[in-house]
Amino acid sequence: MGFIWALIVGGIIGAIEGAITNKGSSMGIIANIIAGLVGSAIGQALLGTWGPTIAGMAIIPSLIGAIILVLVVSFFARKL
């Protein structure tokens, strides 16, 4: 059940990140989930696990990590 919660929270983090960076309309739900999960890992590795936690993910560092991830990927995708 924890894995399903992680997918749901990852999708929500990815959707919020898409709304903040204005890149959410070009990404699908699978990409939002992946961006949320990978961004969560990046954010927690860089910033720690402070703030509210849901499904093992600290929300604020996860959101910041997802934003960093999408901005970096879109920067390099634009170069190709």
Side-chain angles (χ1 to χ4, degrees):
M1 191 69 181
F3 180 70
I4 294 172
W5 277 113
L7 290 177
I8 291 170
V9 172
I12 292 171
I13 289 171
I16 293 171
E17 163 274 319
I20 291 172
T21 60
N22 292 327
K23 299 197 184 312
S25 61
S26 64
M27 294 173 38
I29 189 154
I30 302 298
N32 278 339
I33 292 171
I34 292 170
L37 293 174
V38 174
S40 174
I42 291 170
Q44 289 183 30
L46 293 175
L47 304 172
T49 57
W50 51 274
T53 303
I54 300 175
M57 295 181 212
I59 300 300
I60 297 170
S62 298
L63 188 58
I64 293 170
I67 291 171
I68 291 169
L69 173 72
V70 168
L71 292 177
V72 169
V73 169
S74 66
F75 174 76
F76 285 113
R78 191 175 343 130
K79 295 284 184 183
L80 296 176

